[in-house]
């Protein structure tokens, strides 16, 4: 599997083994395609112990979902290996994917690497990340309903998060960690909802031994008692493969795709958070299925065309 000559050409190489990548692999495997999944073993939600908003799996550890998925893939012949992808190159009719295991040729590629969340550089943050510090209100807001919530974000992102989280609690404070960057209309909305804005930077987070947030310590010596923190700093692609291939990217760094999850580079598809950073687990998995169906349809048509070519070839 570590060289082109040893492995031949795969029907699809999937980069990433989260919900999008695994679901795509399942659909393609069940379509009897030859599929290789390269898993860096660095999921976006590595710090999270429960996932929510996933029908039939609410509260399940994301690691358990991934493990179940890998087991299911084994039943339909999909190979999943741990490897970091370093580069990819579009060739004539194939794509060469280079990982820590070597190079593999494939007829199609699915990028499903997720995104890498940037986190606050604040002492004590690591102790609460994934327990009482989160990025997604829809994933974790319900678990902190009626608690004292802090939003750590500036500008429009901060306003949006703060307004959303008022659905779950009447006690929401927006900490912009410096100038808030809001216009008059944004300020009016927050004031009308009773959401205070604190511009004083946070210098430390206090928590208990279970990773439950207790308070935010501010640069002026004051402290704000809070039970949970929702934040936005930014996100970025986990590797440069999409850029190396020449895929068009959106302003937020995500990969631009069409309705079939195809990128702007022929034979290269993308699904999950790397194409839609805000997609919840069901949406990411669904995008993986959409990509798989599109890739299999393309491969089937190519197979049919090759059959026609062989049938028309002169015999001797």
């Amino acid at each position: 599997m570590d060289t082109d000559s040893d492995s031949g050409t795969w029907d699809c190489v999937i980069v990433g083994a989260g919900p999008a990548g695994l679901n795509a692999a399942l659909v393609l495997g069940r379509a009897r395609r030859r599929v290789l999944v390269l898993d860096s073993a660095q999921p976006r939600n590595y710090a999270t112990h429960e996932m929510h908003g996933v029908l039939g799996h609410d509260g399940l550890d994301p690691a358990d979902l991934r493990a179940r998925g890998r087991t299911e893939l084994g039943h339909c012949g999909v190979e999943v290996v741990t490897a970091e992808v370093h580069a990819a190159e579009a060739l004539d009719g194939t794509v060469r994917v280079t990982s820590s295991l070597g190079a593999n040729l494939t007829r199609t590629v699915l990028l499903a690497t997720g995104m890498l969340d940037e986190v606050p550089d604040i002492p004590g943050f690591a102790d609460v990340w994934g327990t009482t510090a989160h990025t997604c209100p829809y994933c974790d807001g319900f678990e902190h309903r009626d608690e004292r919530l802090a939003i750590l974000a500036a500008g429009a992102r901060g306003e949006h998060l703060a307004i959303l989280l008022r659905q779950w609690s009447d006690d929401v404070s927006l900490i912009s960690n410096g100038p808030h960057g809001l216009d008059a209309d944004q300020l009016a909305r927050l004031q009308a909802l009773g959401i205070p804005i604190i511009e004083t930077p946070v210098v430390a987070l206090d928590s208990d031994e279970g990773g439950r947030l207790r308070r935010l310590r501010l640069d002026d010596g004051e402290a704000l008692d809070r039970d949970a923190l929702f934040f936005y700093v930014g996100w970025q692609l986990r590797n440069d493969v999409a850029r190396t291939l020449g895929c068009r990217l959106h302003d937020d760094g995500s990969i631009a795709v069409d309705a079939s999850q195809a990128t702007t580079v022929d034979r290269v598809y993308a699904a999950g958070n790397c194409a839609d950073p805000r997609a919840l687990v069901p949406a990411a998995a669904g995008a993986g299925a959409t990509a798989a169906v599109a890739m299999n349809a393309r491969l089937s048509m190519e197979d049919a065309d090759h059959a026609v070519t062989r049938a028309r070839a002169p015999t001797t």
Side-chain angles (χ1 to χ4, degrees):
M1 184 176 59
D2 57 349
T3 66
D4 297 336
S5 57
D6 289 342
S7 64
T9 301
W10 299 90
D11 288 323
C12 182
V13 167
I14 298 175
V15 184
L22 292 177
N23 211 44
L26 182 62
V27 173
L28 287 167
R30 288 176 56 81
R32 308 190 73 180
R33 290 296 175 185
R34 191 162 180 258
V35 181
L36 172 65
V37 179
L38 300 175
D39 179 13
S40 69
Q42 296 178 328
R44 182 180 188 181
N45 57 4
Y46 70 92
T48 302
H49 304 293
E50 294 184 358
M51 63 180 184
H52 301 287
V54 185
L55 187 64
H57 296 298
D58 196 70
L60 183 71
D61 189 324
D64 290 342
L65 180 70
R66 294 191 297 272
R68 292 182 188 183
R70 291 178 70 135
T71 298
E72 292 170 356
L73 294 182
H75 299 157
C76 52
V78 173
E79 291 195 44
V80 183
V81 297
T82 301
E84 186 71 39
V85 174
H86 302 308
E89 179 185 7
L91 305 174
D92 183 15
T94 60
V95 180
R96 185 192 304 273
V97 179
T98 304
S99 72
S100 53
L101 295 179
N104 286 275
L105 281 179
T106 178
R107 296 168 68 188
T108 58
V109 169
L110 175 64
L111 302 177
T113 58
M115 297 292 270
L116 179 63
D117 287 300
E118 299 175 19
V119 299
D121 184 16
I122 298 173
F125 176 81
D127 297 327
V128 298
W129 178 211
T131 304
T132 49
H134 313 282
T135 59
C136 174
Y138 296 103
C139 300
D140 300 290
F142 185 77
E143 281 61 45
H144 299 290
R145 61 195 181 279
D146 301 322
E147 293 184 353
R148 300 167 299 178
L149 307 182
I151 314 303
L152 186 63
R157 296 278 188 183
E159 181 215 16
H160 182 66
L161 270 176
I163 290 174
L164 280 181
L165 282 157
R166 280 288 273 104
Q167 292 292 118
W168 287 276
S169 174
D170 292 333
D171 191 350
V172 175
S173 295
L174 174 60
I175 297 93
S176 58
N177 233 24
H180 55 64
L182 300 171
D183 61 28
D185 289 339
Q186 292 167 327
L187 287 171
R189 283 191 286 267
L190 294 174
Q191 291 168 356
L193 292 172
I195 300 174
I197 303 170
I198 300 171
E199 294 185 307
T200 307
V202 178
V203 296
L205 302 176
D206 293 342
S207 60
D208 62 22
E209 293 183 358
R212 293 197 62 83
L213 179 66
R214 292 307 179 204
R215 65 188 59 83
L216 288 71
R217 297 196 178 275
L218 306 179
D219 191 43
D220 59 5
E222 296 295 319
L224 179 66
D225 291 338
R226 297 284 97 175
D227 302 307
L229 170 71
F230 287 80
F231 70 93
Y232 173 80
V233 178
W235 51 57
Q236 57 183 290
L237 291 173
R238 285 191 169 274
N239 57 42
D240 289 328
V241 173
R243 293 186 180 89
T244 300
L245 285 166
C247 300
R248 186 172 73 84
L249 305 181
H250 293 298
D251 291 341
D252 65 1
S254 60
I255 304 170
V257 295
D258 65 14
S260 66
Q261 303 298 138
T263 73
T264 53
V265 176
D266 189 33
R267 298 185 181 276
V268 179
Y269 297 73
N273 286 156
C274 67
D276 183 0
R278 300 171 187 81
L280 305 184
V281 170
T290 296
V293 169
M295 287 187 287
N296 185 63
R298 174 180 183 153
L299 294 171
S300 295
M301 291 302 295
E302 288 181 353
D303 293 340
D305 289 340
H306 292 158
V308 170
T309 300
R310 289 193 299 269
R312 291 175 175 172
T315 59
T316 57

